[in-house]
Amino acid sequence: MKILGIDGSGLVASIAIVEDDNLIGEYTTGYKKTHSQTLLPMLDELSKMVELDLNTIDAIAVAAGPGSFTGLRIASATAKGLGLSLGCPIISVPTVDALAYNMWGSSDVICPILDARRGQVYTGLYDFDQSGHLNVLKEQCAVDFHDIAEEINSLGRPVTFLGDGTPVFAELISSIIQVPYRFAPAHVNRQHASSVAALGAVYYANGDCEPAADHRPEYLRLSQAERERLEKKGSLQ
């Protein structure tokens, strides 16, 4: 089984090929270019490097949200276009779940935090059982960081933080988190398409995929432009 993984949910742009239990190749950058400039050229370069015939791909796993609205649209459009042209199904992998999967095998509670602006984070809580299965303790959501901190403290277990919200909320973490905590190191603290593809393979094996034509990103909340439009109309609570 060969899975193409795509992640454009944040600043990082990432493409990966996972075949069965092997990572065949991954191209990941965190440089400030739009994903419309990076994802397809990265796929082309990676395909050349690993001599990949795209027609041999069984499914396309994409980080489906939440995250950057623009990045999600570009990554989803890329996955959808490829899926339609190749006749491949799409595996919609929750962004926060895939980020947590970076920490496979950890005994800590895993708390990815993505900066959602307006004082909020995209986050969730996870751990792994002894077989390596990812358990979702709290599904991905958009909340005030104080709310997720309260839940973390109530669990009473060590926690590992990762994601682009970590440096933004590091000072707050140090002041309100009451359990032992640590920050994931650089090689696993941001999005990776290899994690999207590997977790996507688990979903695919369980039949959790969709036709490319049906794929839509999951934003979890309204964009700033949509919020401002509704606020002007007085219809946003």
Side-chain angles (χ1 to χ4, degrees):
M1 181 173 57
K2 192 177 293 183
I3 305 292
L4 169 64
I6 301 174
D7 196 324
S9 59
L11 175 62
V12 169
S14 187
I15 298 283
I17 302 294
V18 169
E19 184 171 10
D20 299 325
D21 292 326
N22 297 309
L23 174 61
I24 304 302
E26 182 173 24
Y27 193 154
T28 299
T29 66
Y31 192 68
K32 294 182 180 180
K33 287 188 176 181
T34 63
H35 297 331
S36 60
Q37 295 175 287
T38 55
L39 286 175
L40 286 176
M42 288 165 59
L43 175 59
D44 182 59
E45 185 66 24
L46 181 61
S47 298
K48 292 175 181 176
M49 291 293 292
V50 302
E51 299 179 346
L52 171 68
D53 179 356
L54 289 174
N55 291 295
T56 64
I57 291 172
D58 295 293
I60 301 168
V62 61
S68 159
F69 285 82
T70 301
L72 290 174
R73 290 188 183 104
I74 293 169
S76 289
T78 301
K80 190 168 185 173
L82 287 169
L84 289 170
S85 65
L86 298 172
C88 289
I90 302 292
I91 310 164
S92 294
V93 180
T95 300
V96 182
D97 294 30
L99 193 51
Y101 211 61
N102 287 3
M103 302 305 298
W104 187 91
S106 173
S107 60
D108 290 357
V109 172
I110 310 302
C111 181
I113 49 175
L114 302 175
D115 186 12
R117 309 296 174 86
R118 293 176 173 262
Q120 289 195 323
V121 293
Y122 297 124
T123 188
L125 295 174
Y126 307 83
D127 67 7
F128 293 91
D129 62 25
Q130 292 185 346
S131 66
H133 174 75
L134 178 67
N135 298 312
V136 180
L137 307 178
K138 180 180 181 62
E139 290 188 358
Q140 64 175 21
C141 55
V143 297
D144 185 282
F145 182 78
H146 288 84
D147 294 335
I148 197 68
E150 184 177 345
E151 295 194 41
I152 290 169
N153 289 334
S154 70
L155 290 174
R157 296 172 53 190
V159 60
T160 296
F161 292 100
L162 69 161
D164 63 29
T166 301
V168 177
F169 291 91
E171 185 174 343
L172 187 57
I173 288 170
S174 68
S175 66
I176 66 176
I177 296 299
Q178 300 168 3
V179 298
Y181 68 87
R182 56 183 174 175
F183 300 120
H187 67 291
V188 289
N189 69 5
R190 296 292 188 272
Q191 290 94 326
H192 281 279
S194 52
S195 289
V196 175
L199 185 55
V202 176
Y203 291 173
Y204 185 69
N206 293 327
D208 190 3
C209 57
E210 60 189 345
D214 295 342
H215 173 69
R216 299 289 186 278
E218 175 58 65
Y219 300 115
L220 284 190
R221 70 176 195 179
L222 298 175
S223 69
Q224 181 176 347
E226 290 169 323
R227 289 181 62 88
E228 290 175 351
R229 178 173 56 82
L230 291 174
E231 284 170 353
K232 287 179 181 179
K233 291 183 177 180
S235 57
L236 182 64
Q237 300 298 321

